[in-house]
Amino acid sequence: MRRIVSVFLPTWSTDRLRRETAKSPPEGVLPDGPLATAVPDHGRRVIAAVDAGARALGVTRSMTVTKARTFAPGLQMVDAEPEADAKGLRPLALWAGTRHAPLVAPDPPGGLWLDVTGCAALFSTERALLNDLRRRTSAFGLSLQMAVADNRFGIGNRYEAPRCQRSCCDSPSCSVWCDHPGQRHREHESVGRPMYTMS
């Protein structure tokens, strides 16, 4: 039976920007300050992506830049680069394809699809494979969320993941980790094998 992993990088745009400009950040961008990207929209500028620091201050996607600055006066703003974001996913997909799955595809604006069918045996278990993927991706300084199911349609919308009341954080069968502090794993029943995701 096929097993498909969705890797969602919720702060990919800002993570990529910080990684690529670590040695020479753009003018006005500090290494540790809250960061957001913006795009023009009908005569105004709106937020396209935010990092964890900006999100903690109440800044969200689609918010106008003017409103965002009322929430976070010290917010650092740069122009969004969707083409660069998409291009940056390609080497990440190639890297994942050398270790975790023979079939990997970028999923812009900030994600990957991996077909890990038959690959669990290389890591002894599917859980071990996912843990290795999470650990190594996190080591790049990237925030991530993962879900795995029998097909990509079973995973659903990662941007608005379904929620349930029963936590499986302590269950040995839980196959997914999330590196966001305070977030917990959730188990969602699907047709056939369980699909694991996190909220």
Side-chain angles (χ1 to χ4, degrees), residues 11-22 24-27 29 35-40 45-50 61 77-90 108-110:
T11 56
W12 168 247
S13 295
T14 51
D15 287 347
R16 178 194 63 78
L17 185 63
R18 288 198 189 278
R19 281 173 51 82
E20 293 182 356
T21 61
S24 56
E27 184 178 354
V29 175
L35 178 65
T37 65
V39 294
R45 297 182 75 214
V46 298
I47 302 298
V50 297
R61 295 174 60 225
M77 195 77 59
V78 297
D79 291 333
E81 299 177 315
E83 292 183 1
D85 290 343
K87 184 178 179 181
L89 288 173
R90 295 173 195 161

Side-chain angles (χ1 to χ4, degrees), residues 44 78 109 112 135 178-179 193 195:
R44 59 181 186 169
V78 297
L112 301 173
R135 180 175 56 82
C178 176
D179 71 342
R193 297 179 63 182
M195 181 272 286

